[in-house]
């Protein structure tokens, strides 16, 4: 494959950056990968597993001469990173990010982007419950969507180049406005995560059901929630702090529906419940047909092993 | 393996009964398996795939001379099945069920159990989002818990025999009172299912986010909810109608916690959110250590395939 960017700098070396490094090498679509992270331990692990071609001690050092700079830090850390690297970005370079919210990232990052640098926000819709530099893998983005959110007046050549890059990493690329992105993600990601965290918190907190009961009997459905609720706490804190309005809107809709179902249970309205539970099956079928999940029962989990 | 029951009758031929049939054959722990279902289509499929040694047209016929009768129908159908088979049960036979609630099953079934028949309610905590006679598989119960709920004065020999049977099918066996079972399951299964159904219903119902957006961008977390919300609607309607009190209690706790998190989002209280999201990680670790889920990222789902 042709080289799309000569020199790529990854700022932050967690699950997404690590997976990007593996996927870039699989594709052979970049010349050189430079990575950096604030924590010395993270940098040491990345060096030990040879995640990048070079590990830089500072973000300032990493972005020198980079043709593509990718912000892979929690949203709450982006402004301070930009304060450090903004003045050092190469003329003509592309700057992007992988943050889960987009309007807040634009507000935080834009003031630091110099004239002549192309800032194109983005969000690869892929992840796992694991985090840290060892958690990445090359296939994470395969067949997953990456939403690019080009700003008004963006250079289309640069947007196309970034789209080609993500396509080379295995992803499908689309574009959206920041507002619409934040609403769609509030539905497909942010509210589900908050609900999963809440349910696991409730289970953890009950005096009448012991923790070992919750753990042992989790295969009846609960264990699916605990996977989501094991995601990185800092990243998720920042998501909710920076996508407040859309999350609160969807949460409002959610509690409204939940109360209606709760009333149906209290009143013994079996027809209401059955209708509701029937209609939600179709959407699962759509997700499987679109290649966004497996049709295997229980996600194709390996069957339990006898101890 | 020694034969534990000579003749086993499965009433209902869905996911659980089908998996029991496969698991019984794998174990070689029963003499003969007779299955029946109300629907002629289900009976025809079961016969076609050779699910049982015999398919009976009626439950009355199926239970004749059976040493173990297993009620594998939705809870709401149990009373009418018992009305049909009660008088025909063999003296000394064991009668059990696989219903997701236990006090309601006891209330519905007990009046029909003749003197000399051993009714031992049970609940294997295993399942998938699929249903019907083709959905069963032999490993479904491996390393999963089966909760037996023996009634007061139960014959311990018969309880032990049923426990041996489930152990032969791959399960781990424990006992509980019906009330406590219903509360534990409200936490680990019933409330999570209701919440998942609600979230998927909300997403399906939003005018500002299209269904194709929900489907395409589901990999960010939502798709996990859709698996649970694709479960059998009749079974789940009956669960909520028959475990009303415990479900409403846990739902009350859930909304209380959700409102606290919602307020933290509205007020920008990052510390509250971070603390909450950190504490829920430990429970996931416990579930993996207990062998109740895989540590593989995304449940070990196959990576997406490029179209």
């Amino acid at each position: 494959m042709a080289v799309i960017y000569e020199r790529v700098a990854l700022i932050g070396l967690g699950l997404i950056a690590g997976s990007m490094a593996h996927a870039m090498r699989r594709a052979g679509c970049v010349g050189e990968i430079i990575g950096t992270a604030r924590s010395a331990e993270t940098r040491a692990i990345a060096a030990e597993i040879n995640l990048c071609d070079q590990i830089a001690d500072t973000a300032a050092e990493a972005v020198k001469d980079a043709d593509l700079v990718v912000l892979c830090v929690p949203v709450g850390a982006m402004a301070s990173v930009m304060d450090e690297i903004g003045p050092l970005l190469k003329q003509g370079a592309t700057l992007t990010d992988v943050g889960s919210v987009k309007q807040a990232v634009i507000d935080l990052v834009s003031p630091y982007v110099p004239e002549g640098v192309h800032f194109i926000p983005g969000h690869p819709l892929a992840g796992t419950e694991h985090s840290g530099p060892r958690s990445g893998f090359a296939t994470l983005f395969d067949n997953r969507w990456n939403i690019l959110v080009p700003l008004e007046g963006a250079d289309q050549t640069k947007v196309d180049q970034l789209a080609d890059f993500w396509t080379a990493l295995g992803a499908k690329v689309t574009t959206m406005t920041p507002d619409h992105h934040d609403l769609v993600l509030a539905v497909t990601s942010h509210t589900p995560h908050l609900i999963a965290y809440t349910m696991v918190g409730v289970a953890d907190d009950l005096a009448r059901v012991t923790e070992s009961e919750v753990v042992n009997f989790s295969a009846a459905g609960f264990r699916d929630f605990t996977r989501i609720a094991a995601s990185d706490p800092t990243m998720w804190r920042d998501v909710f702090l920076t996508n407040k309005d859309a999350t609160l809107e969807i949460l409002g809709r959610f509690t409204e529906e939940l109360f209606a179902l709760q009333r149906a249970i209290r009143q013994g309205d079996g027809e209401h419940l059955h209708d509701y539970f029937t209609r939600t099956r179709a959407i699962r079928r759509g997700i499987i047909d679109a290649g966004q999940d497996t049709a295997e029962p229980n996600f194709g989990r390996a069957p339990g092993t006898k101890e």
Side-chain angles (χ1 to χ4, degrees), chain A:
Chain A
M1 177 172 282
V3 165
I4 298 174
Y5 294 106
E6 199 47 62
R7 194 178 159 98
V8 176
L10 301 172
I11 314 299
L13 292 170
L15 168 67
I16 299 294
S19 296
M20 288 180 73
H22 290 294
M24 283 188 259
R25 284 178 170 171
R26 183 185 66 169
C29 65
V30 307
E32 196 181 20
I33 307 169
I34 296 96
T36 190
R38 203 180 45 176
S39 135
E41 192 194 342
T42 301
R43 294 197 303 271
I45 294 169
E48 179 201 327
I49 64 175
N50 191 29
L51 192 62
C52 304
D53 300 311
Q54 277 185 54
I55 299 294
D57 281 346
T58 64
E61 204 184 310
V63 302
K64 211 186 297 172
D65 290 324
D67 304 290
L68 175 68
V69 174
V70 191
L71 301 174
C72 304
V73 296
V75 174
M78 286 190 186
S80 75
V81 166
M82 284 305 299
D83 190 37
E84 180 185 354
I85 67 171
L88 306 167
L89 295 171
K90 183 164 95 166
Q91 278 296 302
T94 294
L95 172 71
T96 189
D97 77 300
V98 297
S100 308
V101 300
K102 294 272 67 76
Q103 188 57 57
V105 166
I106 292 168
D107 294 344
L108 289 165
V109 169
S110 296
Y112 298 96
V113 180
E115 200 61 38
V117 169
H118 302 271
F119 174 41
I120 308 167
H123 180 202
L125 304 193
T128 78
E129 68 276 28
H130 297 180
S131 40
R134 291 188 199 276
S135 61
F137 52 97
T139 57
L140 180 65
F141 308 109
D142 285 358
N143 206 34
R144 298 284 159 257
W145 287 92
N146 190 315
I147 303 176
L148 297 183
V149 181
L151 306 180
E152 206 156 302
D155 181 330
Q156 193 56 44
T157 319
K158 297 291 184 174
V159 174
D160 291 344
Q161 188 183 12
L162 186 60
D164 287 347
F165 169 77
W166 278 105
T167 304
L169 266 51
K172 306 195 275 193
V173 177
T174 188
T175 59
M176 247 180 226
T177 64
D179 273 9
H180 193 63
H181 168 279
D182 289 354
L183 180 68
V184 168
L185 269 289
V187 176
T188 57
S189 182
H190 305 168
T191 307
H193 272 80
L194 192 74
I195 290 165
Y197 276 119
T198 306
M199 187 66 231
V200 177
V202 167
D204 190 37
D205 206 37
L206 281 173
R208 288 165 59 207
V209 177
T210 68
E211 186 173 317
S212 88
E213 285 175 328
V214 168
V215 162
N216 282 329
F217 308 133
S218 63
F222 182 74
R223 60 179 178 170
D224 286 16
F225 283 63
T226 65
R227 186 191 77 79
I228 288 184
S231 302
D232 184 53
T234 304
M235 174 191 147
W236 283 100
R237 176 198 64 196
D238 289 358
V239 164
F240 295 115
L241 294 179
T242 56
N243 195 20
K244 187 183 289 199
D245 294 346
T247 304
L248 292 176
E249 179 189 336
I250 302 304
L251 269 178
R253 288 296 306 269
F254 172 82
T255 45
E256 194 180 304
E257 291 282 339
L258 187 63
F259 287 160
L261 287 171
Q262 187 168 324
R263 196 182 52 188
I265 293 174
R266 200 182 296 280
Q267 297 180 338
D269 185 349
E271 201 179 323
H272 180 100
L273 296 172
H274 193 273
D275 287 353
Y276 202 94
F277 300 165
T278 302
R279 140 176 118 76
T280 51
R281 275 191 143 176
I283 213 160
R284 175 78 187 160
R285 191 70 255 160
I287 288 170
I288 291 164
D289 291 345
Q292 295 302 307
D293 207 347
T294 172
E296 289 291 303
N298 283 327
F299 306 115
R301 282 180 175 105
T305 42
K306 286 283 274 183
E307 273 146 28

